[in-house]
């Protein structure tokens, strides 16, 4: 019997529609959607929107369930305008799931998937606890947090997790401890905390698997000709577009080049029946 591939995401009620788009794009762009099992960490989703998410996955014959998180563990987590506490809940994924699951792919709820993520499950993580994509920017976040001068910093929007290695190394508790003891250091919220603990235990994936908005909009300037060639691939043929940052396709007047893609896949979801789905209307 073929092993199922486990996808996990997290959302609150406001971003449930965007997660529906993420799921439809992921399941449309794979050879057999029935090979996946989807789990959604419930960051405060209404029953109505839970049903719409279930219907979206059911259209592809893909099972979907919801995971409850221990909210008390995140009492010290800092939220902001763009980042809700639901973003932190990925930290508890290995503790919330069946210990028999070997690998899990976490995807943010604002990602447009344009390639078959089965390829990621086939990746050799080379003994690392996770695989991810580097976060492009002038951060030097690890140095600023007093961790290391090495600039190895990943974007937490897409993480391939070796579940056993994560548990064996007690990563959840280590990250939660860092959050609770260093709230003043978390400029980038849970992403900072994950990097603080995992900075030397992650495999770098090709950045096309997490094509960040500031890269697509050419706001980030390449540091070398080699990096420029890589980023050209990211802009021209991204595997996953991450709608991170200020520019969102669901905002009126959006200039994001993948705005049409967002609405194309949103139209394939159960959320489509609840609104006109124009670029100026949202079901939130």
């Amino acid at each position: 019997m073929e092993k199922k591939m486990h996808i996990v995401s997290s959302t609150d009620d406001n971003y449930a529609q965007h997660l529906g788009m993420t799921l439809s794009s992921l399941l449309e762009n794979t050879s057999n959607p029935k090979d996946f099992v989807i789990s959604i960490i419930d960051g405060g989703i209404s029953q109505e929107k839970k049903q719409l998410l279930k219907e979206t996955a059911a259209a592809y014959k893909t099972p979907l369930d919801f995971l409850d998180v221990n909210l008390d563990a995140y009492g010290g987590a800092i939220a902001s305008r763009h980042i809700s506490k639901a973003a932190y809940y990925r930290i508890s994924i290995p503790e919330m799931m069946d210990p028999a699951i070997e690998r899990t792919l976490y995807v943010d709820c604002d990602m447009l998937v344009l390639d078959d993520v089965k390829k990621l499950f086939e990746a050799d993580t080379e003994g690392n606890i996770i695989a991810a994509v580097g976060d492009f920017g002038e951060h030097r976040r690890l140095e600023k947090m007093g961790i290391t001068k090495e600039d190895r910093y990943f974007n937490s929007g897409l993480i391939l997790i070796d579940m056993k290695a994560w548990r064996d190394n007690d990563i959840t508790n280590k990250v939660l401890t860092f959050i609770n003891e260093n709230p003043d250091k978390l400029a980038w919220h849970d992403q900072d905390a994950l990097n603080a603990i995992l900075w030397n235990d992650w495999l770098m994936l090709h950045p096309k698997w997490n094509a960040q908005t500031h890269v697509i909009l050419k706001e980030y300037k390449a540091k070398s000709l080699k990096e420029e060639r890589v980023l050209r691939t990211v802009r021209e043929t991204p595997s996953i577009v991450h709608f991170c940052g200020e520019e969102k396709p669901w905002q009126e007047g959006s200039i994001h080049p993948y705005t049409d893609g967002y609405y194309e896949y949103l139209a394939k979801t159960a959320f489509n029946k609840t609104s006109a789905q124009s670029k100026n209307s949202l079901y939130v």
Side-chain angles (χ1 to χ4, degrees):
M1 184 176 177
E2 188 174 355
K3 283 186 179 180
K4 296 289 186 179
M5 285 166 278
H6 290 264
I7 305 289
V8 181
S9 192
S10 177
T11 187
D12 58 14
D13 210 46
N14 290 329
Y15 266 59
Q17 169 179 289
H18 311 321
L19 176 55
M21 178 279 307
T22 295
L23 297 181
S24 71
S25 64
L26 186 152
L27 296 171
E28 279 280 334
N29 291 298
T30 189
S31 55
N32 190 354
K34 291 186 286 186
D35 290 341
F36 292 108
V37 175
I38 295 171
S39 298
I40 307 301
I41 302 172
D42 182 3
I45 314 170
S46 66
Q47 289 301 317
E48 183 181 8
K49 291 182 184 178
K50 283 183 178 180
Q51 183 60 33
L52 293 174
L53 288 168
K54 286 182 178 180
E55 291 176 14
T56 297
Y60 299 91
K61 296 182 171 58
T62 304
L64 181 149
D65 63 0
F66 293 92
L67 303 173
D68 294 321
V69 68
N70 176 14
L71 300 180
D72 292 340
Y74 293 89
I78 307 299
S80 70
R81 178 167 169 255
H82 291 293
I83 305 293
S84 73
K85 284 197 176 184
Y88 288 84
Y89 300 157
R90 75 196 86 189
I91 296 164
S92 296
I93 287 171
E95 278 62 48
M96 290 188 285
M97 300 185 71
D98 186 337
I101 298 171
E102 296 177 1
R103 280 188 170 188
T104 296
L105 180 67
Y106 171 84
V107 294
D108 259 355
C109 58
D110 58 351
M111 289 185 142
L112 172 63
V113 182
L114 301 171
D115 200 348
D116 194 339
V117 299
K118 288 182 180 179
K119 298 173 185 177
L120 292 174
F121 282 90
E122 298 166 358
D124 180 359
T125 55
E126 300 175 10
N128 290 283
I129 296 173
I130 66 168
V133 169
D135 192 83
F136 288 90
E138 304 298 333
H139 304 299
R140 300 213 68 85
R141 292 295 308 138
L142 294 172
E143 185 174 359
K144 291 174 183 176
M145 288 190 287
I147 306 299
T148 176
K149 290 187 177 181
E150 290 192 45
D151 199 13
R152 278 181 50 81
Y153 188 89
F154 58 85
N155 184 284
S156 61
L158 179 133
I159 307 175
L160 181 66
I161 304 171
D162 181 326
M163 301 285 272
K164 184 177 185 301
W166 182 291
R167 294 190 194 97
D168 288 349
N169 288 275
D170 200 24
I171 299 301
T172 295
N173 285 330
K174 288 177 180 176
V175 175
L176 286 173
T177 298
F178 189 87
I179 289 171
N180 291 323
E181 293 182 353
N182 302 277
D184 56 316
K185 294 183 179 181
L186 303 180
W188 294 103
H189 307 86
D190 64 301
Q191 183 168 281
D192 274 351
L194 285 163
N195 273 276
I197 303 303
L198 291 165
W199 71 270
N200 202 32
D201 286 301
W202 66 281
L203 175 76
M204 187 176 293
L205 298 171
H206 193 288
K208 69 179 183 177
W209 287 106
N210 185 348
Q212 297 147 45
T213 291
H214 55 291
V215 172
I216 291 177
L217 295 179
K218 299 184 179 180
E219 295 170 350
Y220 172 79
K221 304 301 180 185
K223 298 175 182 176
S224 65
L225 287 175
K226 180 180 178 181
E227 187 175 70
E228 178 56 40
R229 286 194 293 270
V230 171
L231 297 187
R232 190 178 304 123
T233 299
V234 175
R235 296 178 185 121
E236 294 175 357
T237 55
S239 293
I240 298 179
V241 176
H242 189 184
F243 296 120
C244 53
E246 297 284 339
E247 187 63 41
K248 307 293 189 185
W250 52 86
Q251 294 172 334
E252 185 173 0
S254 173
I255 61 169
H256 199 292
Y258 287 90
T259 294
D260 288 344
Y262 170 87
Y263 284 97
E264 174 188 345
Y265 285 99
L266 183 60
K268 299 176 187 292
T269 73
F271 290 86
N272 182 56
K273 66 186 180 184
T274 64
S275 71
Q277 299 303 335
S278 73
K279 293 182 180 179
N280 297 323
S281 68
L282 261 183
Y283 182 73
V284 295

